Amino acid sequence: MIHLIRVDPRLHTPMYFLLSQLSLMDLMHISTTVPKMVFNFLSGQKNITFLGCGVQSFFFLTMAGSEGLLLASMAYDRFVAICHPLHYPIRMSKMMCLKMIIGSWTLGSINALSHTIYVLHIPYCHSRSINHFFCDIPAMIPLACMDTWVYEYMVFVSTILYLLLPFLGITSSYG
């Protein structure tokens, strides 16, 4: 899809540019967990290094957060195209589209980096074995030796900012 959008000049519009970024994010999102899962399945091993867990967690969270923000940007694009068609070329210029994409990637990365750094610095006193097929932060929190209620609250706030607010923006744009 990314290649088709790039090759066909008729598809060089903000909607298709955003769609190609969504395709890239989906491809990268699935690439964070599946290769390690397939390796573990084929080799019979079921382990990952602590650093590998952090890298996997960072990219998984980056793609998840960025995708929600990009979907909200796509909803805004459709909202402007339908409700303000005469203003569309001004409101959704190539520069604005690029800013929305860079903003999605940047905010998703910052959110993921903060969560990953925090989780990697928590002291773990229980077994470092998680019963999950990838390194997921909610699966790692119960292994901590300290009280994690503040961090769990921050996960709640992050979920509202990166999932609920974009979802509400998407649904209101269709309303």
Side-chain angles (χ1 to χ4, degrees), residues 94-132:
K94 288 189 187 245
M95 184 56 73
M96 180 62 173
C97 189
L98 189 62
K99 286 178 183 178
M100 289 191 313
I101 290 168
I102 290 172
S104 295
W105 282 97
T106 303
L107 291 173
S109 297
I110 290 169
N111 179 52
L113 186 64
S114 64
H115 285 290
T116 304
I117 288 174
Y118 187 85
V119 166
L120 290 180
H121 285 88
I122 292 176
Y124 294 101
C125 57
H126 302 290
S127 167
R128 290 189 180 190
S129 176
I130 57 174
N131 192 12
H132 214 275

PDB file of all heavy atoms in Angstrom, residues 94-132:
ATOM      1  N   LYS A  94       0.176  20.453   2.722  1.00  0.00           N
ATOM      2  CA  LYS A  94       1.208  19.421   2.903  1.00  0.00           C
ATOM      3  C   LYS A  94       2.000  19.673   4.180  1.00  0.00           C
ATOM      4  O   LYS A  94       2.373  18.743   4.876  1.00  0.00           O
ATOM      5  CB  LYS A  94       2.134  19.383   1.694  1.00  0.00           C
ATOM      6  CG  LYS A  94       1.471  18.805   0.476  1.00  0.00           C
ATOM      7  CD  LYS A  94       2.467  18.576  -0.628  1.00  0.00           C
ATOM      8  CE  LYS A  94       1.730  18.154  -1.863  1.00  0.00           C
ATOM      9  NZ  LYS A  94       2.012  16.847  -2.306  1.00  0.00           N
ATOM     10  N   MET A  95       2.216  20.932   4.513  1.00  0.00           N
ATOM     11  CA  MET A  95       2.961  21.265   5.727  1.00  0.00           C
ATOM     12  C   MET A  95       2.166  20.874   6.977  1.00  0.00           C
ATOM     13  O   MET A  95       2.722  20.319   7.924  1.00  0.00           O
ATOM     14  CB  MET A  95       3.300  22.756   5.756  1.00  0.00           C
ATOM     15  CG  MET A  95       4.156  23.138   6.943  1.00  0.00           C
ATOM     16  SD  MET A  95       5.703  22.207   7.077  1.00  0.00           S
ATOM     17  CE  MET A  95       6.636  22.918   5.784  1.00  0.00           C
ATOM     18  N   MET A  96       0.871  21.130   6.966  1.00  0.00           N
ATOM     19  CA  MET A  96       0.034  20.756   8.101  1.00  0.00           C
ATOM     20  C   MET A  96      -0.010  19.241   8.257  1.00  0.00           C
ATOM     21  O   MET A  96       0.057  18.711   9.373  1.00  0.00           O
ATOM     22  CB  MET A  96      -1.384  21.319   7.910  1.00  0.00           C
ATOM     23  CG  MET A  96      -2.315  20.986   9.030  1.00  0.00           C
ATOM     24  SD  MET A  96      -1.710  21.699  10.576  1.00  0.00           S
ATOM     25  CE  MET A  96      -3.068  21.352  11.631  1.00  0.00           C
ATOM     26  N   CYS A  97      -0.126  18.551   7.141  1.00  0.00           N
ATOM     27  CA  CYS A  97      -0.147  17.088   7.158  1.00  0.00           C
ATOM     28  C   CYS A  97       1.173  16.553   7.716  1.00  0.00           C
ATOM     29  O   CYS A  97       1.185  15.636   8.540  1.00  0.00           O
ATOM     30  CB  CYS A  97      -0.377  16.589   5.736  1.00  0.00           C
ATOM     31  SG  CYS A  97      -0.673  14.842   5.597  1.00  0.00           S
ATOM     32  N   LEU A  98       2.266  17.134   7.294  1.00  0.00           N
ATOM     33  CA  LEU A  98       3.583  16.718   7.788  1.00  0.00           C
ATOM     34  C   LEU A  98       3.714  16.996   9.287  1.00  0.00           C
ATOM     35  O   LEU A  98       4.245  16.169  10.036  1.00  0.00           O
ATOM     36  CB  LEU A  98       4.674  17.446   7.006  1.00  0.00           C
ATOM     37  CG  LEU A  98       6.104  16.992   7.224  1.00  0.00           C
ATOM     38  CD1 LEU A  98       6.268  15.537   6.790  1.00  0.00           C
ATOM     39  CD2 LEU A  98       7.053  17.878   6.461  1.00  0.00           C
ATOM     40  N   LYS A  99       3.195  18.134   9.740  1.00  0.00           N
ATOM     41  CA  LYS A  99       3.232  18.455  11.171  1.00  0.00           C
ATOM     42  C   LYS A  99       2.433  17.454  11.989  1.00  0.00           C
ATOM     43  O   LYS A  99       2.845  17.045  13.084  1.00  0.00           O
ATOM     44  CB  LYS A  99       2.693  19.867  11.422  1.00  0.00           C
ATOM     45  CG  LYS A  99       3.642  20.964  11.013  1.00  0.00           C
ATOM     46  CD  LYS A  99       3.014  22.325  11.253  1.00  0.00           C
ATOM     47  CE  LYS A  99       3.908  23.445  10.780  1.00  0.00           C
ATOM     48  NZ  LYS A  99       3.286  24.760  10.968  1.00  0.00           N
ATOM     49  N   MET A 100       1.274  17.032  11.476  1.00  0.00           N
ATOM     50  CA  MET A 100       0.461  16.052  12.201  1.00  0.00           C
ATOM     51  C   MET A 100       1.182  14.702  12.276  1.00  0.00           C
ATOM     52  O   MET A 100       1.139  14.038  13.314  1.00  0.00           O
ATOM     53  CB  MET A 100      -0.910  15.895  11.529  1.00  0.00           C
ATOM     54  CG  MET A 100      -1.792  17.099  11.722  1.00  0.00           C
ATOM     55  SD  MET A 100      -3.527  16.911  11.251  1.00  0.00           S
ATOM     56  CE  MET A 100      -3.478  16.143   9.685  1.00  0.00           C
ATOM     57  N   ILE A 101       1.855  14.320  11.213  1.00  0.00           N
ATOM     58  CA  ILE A 101       2.570  13.043  11.208  1.00  0.00           C
ATOM     59  C   ILE A 101       3.763  13.100  12.152  1.00  0.00           C
ATOM     60  O   ILE A 101       3.966  12.199  12.971  1.00  0.00           O
ATOM     61  CB  ILE A 101       2.999  12.679   9.778  1.00  0.00           C
ATOM     62  CG1 ILE A 101       1.762  12.308   8.957  1.00  0.00           C
ATOM     63  CG2 ILE A 101       4.012  11.549   9.781  1.00  0.00           C
ATOM     64  CD1 ILE A 101       2.016  12.201   7.484  1.00  0.00           C
ATOM     65  N   ILE A 102       4.542  14.157  12.061  1.00  0.00           N
ATOM     66  CA  ILE A 102       5.706  14.302  12.947  1.00  0.00           C
ATOM     67  C   ILE A 102       5.244  14.391  14.399  1.00  0.00           C
ATOM     68  O   ILE A 102       5.856  13.802  15.296  1.00  0.00           O
ATOM     69  CB  ILE A 102       6.547  15.529  12.542  1.00  0.00           C
ATOM     70  CG1 ILE A 102       7.243  15.260  11.200  1.00  0.00           C
ATOM     71  CG2 ILE A 102       7.572  15.874  13.613  1.00  0.00           C
ATOM     72  CD1 ILE A 102       7.941  16.466  10.607  1.00  0.00           C
ATOM     73  N   GLY A 103       4.153  15.105  14.641  1.00  0.00           N
ATOM     74  CA  GLY A 103       3.614  15.203  15.992  1.00  0.00           C
ATOM     75  C   GLY A 103       3.174  13.851  16.531  1.00  0.00           C
ATOM     76  O   GLY A 103       3.428  13.527  17.688  1.00  0.00           O
ATOM     77  N   SER A 104       2.536  13.046  15.695  1.00  0.00           N
ATOM     78  CA  SER A 104       2.105  11.707  16.121  1.00  0.00           C
ATOM     79  C   SER A 104       3.302  10.856  16.502  1.00  0.00           C
ATOM     80  O   SER A 104       3.315  10.211  17.556  1.00  0.00           O
ATOM     81  CB  SER A 104       1.325  11.017  15.004  1.00  0.00           C
ATOM     82  OG  SER A 104       0.139  11.685  14.722  1.00  0.00           O
ATOM     83  N   TRP A 105       4.304  10.831  15.627  1.00  0.00           N
ATOM     84  CA  TRP A 105       5.502  10.022  15.904  1.00  0.00           C
ATOM     85  C   TRP A 105       6.241  10.535  17.146  1.00  0.00           C
ATOM     86  O   TRP A 105       6.684   9.754  17.984  1.00  0.00           O
ATOM     87  CB  TRP A 105       6.452  10.042  14.705  1.00  0.00           C
ATOM     88  CG  TRP A 105       6.046   9.149  13.586  1.00  0.00           C
ATOM     89  CD1 TRP A 105       5.363   9.497  12.455  1.00  0.00           C
ATOM     90  CD2 TRP A 105       6.296   7.739  13.475  1.00  0.00           C
ATOM     91  NE1 TRP A 105       5.184   8.400  11.667  1.00  0.00           N
ATOM     92  CE2 TRP A 105       5.738   7.317  12.249  1.00  0.00           C
ATOM     93  CE3 TRP A 105       6.923   6.811  14.285  1.00  0.00           C
ATOM     94  CZ2 TRP A 105       5.798   5.990  11.818  1.00  0.00           C
ATOM     95  CZ3 TRP A 105       6.988   5.497  13.854  1.00  0.00           C
ATOM     96  CH2 TRP A 105       6.435   5.094  12.638  1.00  0.00           C
ATOM     97  N   THR A 106       6.377  11.854  17.254  1.00  0.00           N
ATOM     98  CA  THR A 106       7.130  12.438  18.369  1.00  0.00           C
ATOM     99  C   THR A 106       6.432  12.198  19.702  1.00  0.00           C
ATOM    100  O   THR A 106       7.063  11.744  20.672  1.00  0.00           O
ATOM    101  CB  THR A 106       7.332  13.948  18.142  1.00  0.00           C
ATOM    102  OG1 THR A 106       7.994  14.149  16.891  1.00  0.00           O
ATOM    103  CG2 THR A 106       8.160  14.562  19.248  1.00  0.00           C
ATOM    104  N   LEU A 107       5.147  12.498  19.770  1.00  0.00           N
ATOM    105  CA  LEU A 107       4.426  12.312  21.028  1.00  0.00           C
ATOM    106  C   LEU A 107       4.343  10.843  21.417  1.00  0.00           C
ATOM    107  O   LEU A 107       4.474  10.499  22.599  1.00  0.00           O
ATOM    108  CB  LEU A 107       3.028  12.922  20.937  1.00  0.00           C
ATOM    109  CG  LEU A 107       2.977  14.443  20.854  1.00  0.00           C
ATOM    110  CD1 LEU A 107       1.555  14.923  20.603  1.00  0.00           C
ATOM    111  CD2 LEU A 107       3.542  15.074  22.114  1.00  0.00           C
ATOM    112  N   GLY A 108       4.158   9.971  20.436  1.00  0.00           N
ATOM    113  CA  GLY A 108       4.156   8.541  20.724  1.00  0.00           C
ATOM    114  C   GLY A 108       5.499   8.060  21.251  1.00  0.00           C
ATOM    115  O   GLY A 108       5.564   7.248  22.181  1.00  0.00           O
ATOM    116  N   SER A 109       6.583   8.576  20.678  1.00  0.00           N
ATOM    117  CA  SER A 109       7.930   8.193  21.123  1.00  0.00           C
ATOM    118  C   SER A 109       8.239   8.711  22.519  1.00  0.00           C
ATOM    119  O   SER A 109       8.826   8.006  23.336  1.00  0.00           O
ATOM    120  CB  SER A 109       8.986   8.712  20.143  1.00  0.00           C
ATOM    121  OG  SER A 109       8.813   8.141  18.882  1.00  0.00           O
ATOM    122  N   ILE A 110       7.853   9.941  22.805  1.00  0.00           N
ATOM    123  CA  ILE A 110       8.110  10.521  24.130  1.00  0.00           C
ATOM    124  C   ILE A 110       7.355   9.739  25.202  1.00  0.00           C
ATOM    125  O   ILE A 110       7.896   9.411  26.261  1.00  0.00           O
ATOM    126  CB  ILE A 110       7.731  12.017  24.152  1.00  0.00           C
ATOM    127  CG1 ILE A 110       8.721  12.820  23.308  1.00  0.00           C
ATOM    128  CG2 ILE A 110       7.674  12.552  25.575  1.00  0.00           C
ATOM    129  CD1 ILE A 110       8.295  14.254  23.060  1.00  0.00           C
ATOM    130  N   ASN A 111       6.092   9.434  24.926  1.00  0.00           N
ATOM    131  CA  ASN A 111       5.286   8.658  25.861  1.00  0.00           C
ATOM    132  C   ASN A 111       5.916   7.276  26.091  1.00  0.00           C
ATOM    133  O   ASN A 111       6.066   6.834  27.225  1.00  0.00           O
ATOM    134  CB  ASN A 111       3.862   8.513  25.326  1.00  0.00           C
ATOM    135  CG  ASN A 111       2.982   7.709  26.236  1.00  0.00           C
ATOM    136  OD1 ASN A 111       2.875   7.981  27.423  1.00  0.00           O
ATOM    137  ND2 ASN A 111       2.342   6.689  25.681  1.00  0.00           N
ATOM    138  N   ALA A 112       6.291   6.615  25.010  1.00  0.00           N
ATOM    139  CA  ALA A 112       6.881   5.276  25.124  1.00  0.00           C
ATOM    140  C   ALA A 112       8.219   5.315  25.849  1.00  0.00           C
ATOM    141  O   ALA A 112       8.511   4.436  26.670  1.00  0.00           O
ATOM    142  CB  ALA A 112       7.061   4.666  23.737  1.00  0.00           C
ATOM    143  N   LEU A 113       9.030   6.325  25.570  1.00  0.00           N
ATOM    144  CA  LEU A 113      10.330   6.428  26.227  1.00  0.00           C
ATOM    145  C   LEU A 113      10.170   6.629  27.727  1.00  0.00           C
ATOM    146  O   LEU A 113      10.872   5.990  28.527  1.00  0.00           O
ATOM    147  CB  LEU A 113      11.140   7.575  25.621  1.00  0.00           C
ATOM    148  CG  LEU A 113      12.568   7.724  26.100  1.00  0.00           C
ATOM    149  CD1 LEU A 113      13.390   6.494  25.703  1.00  0.00           C
ATOM    150  CD2 LEU A 113      13.193   8.980  25.527  1.00  0.00           C
ATOM    151  N   SER A 114       9.231   7.473  28.121  1.00  0.00           N
ATOM    152  CA  SER A 114       9.044   7.703  29.559  1.00  0.00           C
ATOM    153  C   SER A 114       8.577   6.425  30.259  1.00  0.00           C
ATOM    154  O   SER A 114       9.071   6.087  31.334  1.00  0.00           O
ATOM    155  CB  SER A 114       8.062   8.840  29.797  1.00  0.00           C
ATOM    156  OG  SER A 114       6.783   8.508  29.320  1.00  0.00           O
ATOM    157  N   HIS A 115       7.651   5.694  29.660  1.00  0.00           N
ATOM    158  CA  HIS A 115       7.182   4.446  30.272  1.00  0.00           C
ATOM    159  C   HIS A 115       8.280   3.386  30.300  1.00  0.00           C
ATOM    160  O   HIS A 115       8.447   2.685  31.299  1.00  0.00           O
ATOM    161  CB  HIS A 115       5.967   3.900  29.531  1.00  0.00           C
ATOM    162  CG  HIS A 115       4.713   4.650  29.816  1.00  0.00           C
ATOM    163  ND1 HIS A 115       4.078   4.595  31.028  1.00  0.00           N
ATOM    164  CD2 HIS A 115       3.974   5.484  29.044  1.00  0.00           C
ATOM    165  CE1 HIS A 115       3.001   5.359  30.987  1.00  0.00           C
ATOM    166  NE2 HIS A 115       2.924   5.915  29.800  1.00  0.00           N
ATOM    167  N   THR A 116       9.014   3.270  29.222  1.00  0.00           N
ATOM    168  CA  THR A 116      10.066   2.249  29.152  1.00  0.00           C
ATOM    169  C   THR A 116      11.171   2.524  30.152  1.00  0.00           C
ATOM    170  O   THR A 116      11.625   1.606  30.851  1.00  0.00           O
ATOM    171  CB  THR A 116      10.634   2.173  27.724  1.00  0.00           C
ATOM    172  OG1 THR A 116       9.560   1.915  26.815  1.00  0.00           O
ATOM    173  CG2 THR A 116      11.666   1.074  27.605  1.00  0.00           C
ATOM    174  N   ILE A 117      11.615   3.768  30.238  1.00  0.00           N
ATOM    175  CA  ILE A 117      12.679   4.106  31.194  1.00  0.00           C
ATOM    176  C   ILE A 117      12.214   3.838  32.617  1.00  0.00           C
ATOM    177  O   ILE A 117      12.954   3.279  33.427  1.00  0.00           O
ATOM    178  CB  ILE A 117      13.126   5.578  31.008  1.00  0.00           C
ATOM    179  CG1 ILE A 117      13.920   5.711  29.714  1.00  0.00           C
ATOM    180  CG2 ILE A 117      13.944   6.052  32.200  1.00  0.00           C
ATOM    181  CD1 ILE A 117      14.282   7.137  29.361  1.00  0.00           C
ATOM    182  N   TYR A 118      10.985   4.223  32.928  1.00  0.00           N
ATOM    183  CA  TYR A 118      10.482   3.992  34.282  1.00  0.00           C
ATOM    184  C   TYR A 118      10.436   2.506  34.607  1.00  0.00           C
ATOM    185  O   TYR A 118      10.887   2.076  35.668  1.00  0.00           O
ATOM    186  CB  TYR A 118       9.102   4.628  34.457  1.00  0.00           C
ATOM    187  CG  TYR A 118       8.623   4.553  35.884  1.00  0.00           C
ATOM    188  CD1 TYR A 118       9.003   5.526  36.801  1.00  0.00           C
ATOM    189  CD2 TYR A 118       7.836   3.495  36.324  1.00  0.00           C
ATOM    190  CE1 TYR A 118       8.583   5.455  38.115  1.00  0.00           C
ATOM    191  CE2 TYR A 118       7.416   3.416  37.638  1.00  0.00           C
ATOM    192  CZ  TYR A 118       7.794   4.393  38.530  1.00  0.00           C
ATOM    193  OH  TYR A 118       7.397   4.314  39.833  1.00  0.00           O
ATOM    194  N   VAL A 119       9.892   1.718  33.699  1.00  0.00           N
ATOM    195  CA  VAL A 119       9.742   0.281  33.951  1.00  0.00           C
ATOM    196  C   VAL A 119      11.101  -0.415  34.052  1.00  0.00           C
ATOM    197  O   VAL A 119      11.274  -1.344  34.842  1.00  0.00           O
ATOM    198  CB  VAL A 119       8.861  -0.372  32.860  1.00  0.00           C
ATOM    199  CG1 VAL A 119       8.960  -1.870  32.877  1.00  0.00           C
ATOM    200  CG2 VAL A 119       7.423   0.040  33.058  1.00  0.00           C
ATOM    201  N   LEU A 120      12.080   0.033  33.294  1.00  0.00           N
ATOM    202  CA  LEU A 120      13.404  -0.598  33.360  1.00  0.00           C
ATOM    203  C   LEU A 120      14.161  -0.230  34.632  1.00  0.00           C
ATOM    204  O   LEU A 120      15.126  -0.902  34.979  1.00  0.00           O
ATOM    205  CB  LEU A 120      14.232  -0.231  32.124  1.00  0.00           C
ATOM    206  CG  LEU A 120      13.760  -0.845  30.806  1.00  0.00           C
ATOM    207  CD1 LEU A 120      14.657  -0.400  29.668  1.00  0.00           C
ATOM    208  CD2 LEU A 120      13.683  -2.353  30.879  1.00  0.00           C
ATOM    209  N   HIS A 121      13.732   0.820  35.312  1.00  0.00           N
ATOM    210  CA  HIS A 121      14.410   1.227  36.543  1.00  0.00           C
ATOM    211  C   HIS A 121      13.687   0.796  37.820  1.00  0.00           C
ATOM    212  O   HIS A 121      14.119   1.120  38.919  1.00  0.00           O
ATOM    213  CB  HIS A 121      14.633   2.736  36.546  1.00  0.00           C
ATOM    214  CG  HIS A 121      15.739   3.155  35.632  1.00  0.00           C
ATOM    215  ND1 HIS A 121      15.544   3.441  34.310  1.00  0.00           N
ATOM    216  CD2 HIS A 121      17.070   3.288  35.853  1.00  0.00           C
ATOM    217  CE1 HIS A 121      16.691   3.747  33.755  1.00  0.00           C
ATOM    218  NE2 HIS A 121      17.638   3.668  34.663  1.00  0.00           N
ATOM    219  N   ILE A 122      12.608   0.085  37.676  1.00  0.00           N
ATOM    220  CA  ILE A 122      11.903  -0.438  38.850  1.00  0.00           C
ATOM    221  C   ILE A 122      12.711  -1.610  39.413  1.00  0.00           C
ATOM    222  O   ILE A 122      13.167  -2.464  38.659  1.00  0.00           O
ATOM    223  CB  ILE A 122      10.485  -0.929  38.462  1.00  0.00           C
ATOM    224  CG1 ILE A 122       9.601   0.242  38.080  1.00  0.00           C
ATOM    225  CG2 ILE A 122       9.850  -1.714  39.598  1.00  0.00           C
ATOM    226  CD1 ILE A 122       8.224  -0.182  37.584  1.00  0.00           C
ATOM    227  N   PRO A 123      12.899  -1.668  40.727  1.00  0.00           N
ATOM    228  CA  PRO A 123      13.568  -2.841  41.292  1.00  0.00           C
ATOM    229  C   PRO A 123      12.630  -4.055  41.284  1.00  0.00           C
ATOM    230  O   PRO A 123      11.485  -3.963  41.721  1.00  0.00           O
ATOM    231  CB  PRO A 123      13.897  -2.412  42.721  1.00  0.00           C
ATOM    232  CG  PRO A 123      12.933  -1.330  43.026  1.00  0.00           C
ATOM    233  CD  PRO A 123      12.597  -0.656  41.730  1.00  0.00           C
ATOM    234  N   TYR A 124      13.119  -5.137  40.730  1.00  0.00           N
ATOM    235  CA  TYR A 124      12.333  -6.366  40.662  1.00  0.00           C
ATOM    236  C   TYR A 124      12.891  -7.363  41.673  1.00  0.00           C
ATOM    237  O   TYR A 124      14.070  -7.663  41.673  1.00  0.00           O
ATOM    238  CB  TYR A 124      12.388  -6.972  39.255  1.00  0.00           C
ATOM    239  CG  TYR A 124      11.728  -6.099  38.217  1.00  0.00           C
ATOM    240  CD1 TYR A 124      12.476  -5.291  37.364  1.00  0.00           C
ATOM    241  CD2 TYR A 124      10.350  -6.066  38.107  1.00  0.00           C
ATOM    242  CE1 TYR A 124      11.868  -4.494  36.424  1.00  0.00           C
ATOM    243  CE2 TYR A 124       9.726  -5.253  37.171  1.00  0.00           C
ATOM    244  CZ  TYR A 124      10.494  -4.483  36.331  1.00  0.00           C
ATOM    245  OH  TYR A 124       9.881  -3.677  35.409  1.00  0.00           O
ATOM    246  N   CYS A 125      12.030  -7.876  42.541  1.00  0.00           N
ATOM    247  CA  CYS A 125      12.500  -8.838  43.530  1.00  0.00           C
ATOM    248  C   CYS A 125      11.886 -10.217  43.308  1.00  0.00           C
ATOM    249  O   CYS A 125      12.379 -11.199  43.814  1.00  0.00           O
ATOM    250  CB  CYS A 125      12.206  -8.362  44.955  1.00  0.00           C
ATOM    251  SG  CYS A 125      10.487  -8.017  45.275  1.00  0.00           S
ATOM    252  N   HIS A 126      10.817 -10.286  42.544  1.00  0.00           N
ATOM    253  CA  HIS A 126      10.219 -11.569  42.231  1.00  0.00           C
ATOM    254  C   HIS A 126      10.922 -12.160  41.013  1.00  0.00           C
ATOM    255  O   HIS A 126      11.853 -11.565  40.462  1.00  0.00           O
ATOM    256  CB  HIS A 126       8.724 -11.406  41.940  1.00  0.00           C
ATOM    257  CG  HIS A 126       7.959 -10.800  43.076  1.00  0.00           C
ATOM    258  ND1 HIS A 126       7.739 -11.469  44.246  1.00  0.00           N
ATOM    259  CD2 HIS A 126       7.377  -9.581  43.226  1.00  0.00           C
ATOM    260  CE1 HIS A 126       7.050 -10.706  45.064  1.00  0.00           C
ATOM    261  NE2 HIS A 126       6.825  -9.539  44.472  1.00  0.00           N
ATOM    262  N   SER A 127      10.481 -13.276  40.590  1.00  0.00           N
ATOM    263  CA  SER A 127      11.026 -13.877  39.382  1.00  0.00           C
ATOM    264  C   SER A 127      10.827 -12.919  38.214  1.00  0.00           C
ATOM    265  O   SER A 127       9.820 -12.222  38.136  1.00  0.00           O
ATOM    266  CB  SER A 127      10.297 -15.189  39.098  1.00  0.00           C
ATOM    267  OG  SER A 127      10.589 -15.634  37.804  1.00  0.00           O
ATOM    268  N   ARG A 128      11.774 -12.873  37.324  1.00  0.00           N
ATOM    269  CA  ARG A 128      11.645 -12.011  36.152  1.00  0.00           C
ATOM    270  C   ARG A 128      10.921 -12.730  35.026  1.00  0.00           C
ATOM    271  O   ARG A 128      10.986 -12.316  33.877  1.00  0.00           O
ATOM    272  CB  ARG A 128      13.013 -11.544  35.681  1.00  0.00           C
ATOM    273  CG  ARG A 128      13.644 -10.565  36.634  1.00  0.00           C
ATOM    274  CD  ARG A 128      14.868  -9.969  36.045  1.00  0.00           C
ATOM    275  NE  ARG A 128      15.447  -9.036  36.993  1.00  0.00           N
ATOM    276  CZ  ARG A 128      16.416  -8.225  36.692  1.00  0.00           C
ATOM    277  NH1 ARG A 128      16.942  -8.236  35.503  1.00  0.00           N
ATOM    278  NH2 ARG A 128      16.877  -7.402  37.587  1.00  0.00           N
ATOM    279  N   SER A 129      10.241 -13.769  35.335  1.00  0.00           N
ATOM    280  CA  SER A 129       9.503 -14.540  34.344  1.00  0.00           C
ATOM    281  C   SER A 129       8.075 -14.022  34.263  1.00  0.00           C
ATOM    282  O   SER A 129       7.361 -13.978  35.263  1.00  0.00           O
ATOM    283  CB  SER A 129       9.502 -16.020  34.738  1.00  0.00           C
ATOM    284  OG  SER A 129       8.712 -16.750  33.847  1.00  0.00           O
ATOM    285  N   ILE A 130       7.680 -13.599  33.073  1.00  0.00           N
ATOM    286  CA  ILE A 130       6.313 -13.134  32.875  1.00  0.00           C
ATOM    287  C   ILE A 130       5.570 -14.140  32.012  1.00  0.00           C
ATOM    288  O   ILE A 130       6.139 -14.727  31.095  1.00  0.00           O
ATOM    289  CB  ILE A 130       6.256 -11.726  32.260  1.00  0.00           C
ATOM    290  CG1 ILE A 130       7.009 -11.655  30.930  1.00  0.00           C
ATOM    291  CG2 ILE A 130       6.777 -10.688  33.202  1.00  0.00           C
ATOM    292  CD1 ILE A 130       6.874 -10.333  30.217  1.00  0.00           C
ATOM    293  N   ASN A 131       4.337 -14.346  32.323  1.00  0.00           N
ATOM    294  CA  ASN A 131       3.528 -15.307  31.602  1.00  0.00           C
ATOM    295  C   ASN A 131       2.801 -14.577  30.477  1.00  0.00           C
ATOM    296  O   ASN A 131       1.596 -14.353  30.528  1.00  0.00           O
ATOM    297  CB  ASN A 131       2.539 -15.982  32.557  1.00  0.00           C
ATOM    298  CG  ASN A 131       1.899 -17.186  31.919  1.00  0.00           C
ATOM    299  OD1 ASN A 131       2.343 -17.642  30.871  1.00  0.00           O
ATOM    300  ND2 ASN A 131       0.865 -17.694  32.543  1.00  0.00           N
ATOM    301  N   HIS A 132       3.562 -14.185  29.445  1.00  0.00           N
ATOM    302  CA  HIS A 132       3.029 -13.395  28.357  1.00  0.00           C
ATOM    303  C   HIS A 132       3.920 -13.645  27.149  1.00  0.00           C
ATOM    304  O   HIS A 132       5.091 -13.981  27.307  1.00  0.00           O
ATOM    305  CB  HIS A 132       3.073 -11.914  28.753  1.00  0.00           C
ATOM    306  CG  HIS A 132       1.947 -11.115  28.210  1.00  0.00           C
ATOM    307  ND1 HIS A 132       1.969 -10.579  26.958  1.00  0.00           N
ATOM    308  CD2 HIS A 132       0.762 -10.758  28.754  1.00  0.00           C
ATOM    309  CE1 HIS A 132       0.842  -9.904  26.757  1.00  0.00           C
ATOM    310  NE2 HIS A 132       0.093 -10.001  27.836  1.00  0.00           N
TER     311      HIS A 132
END
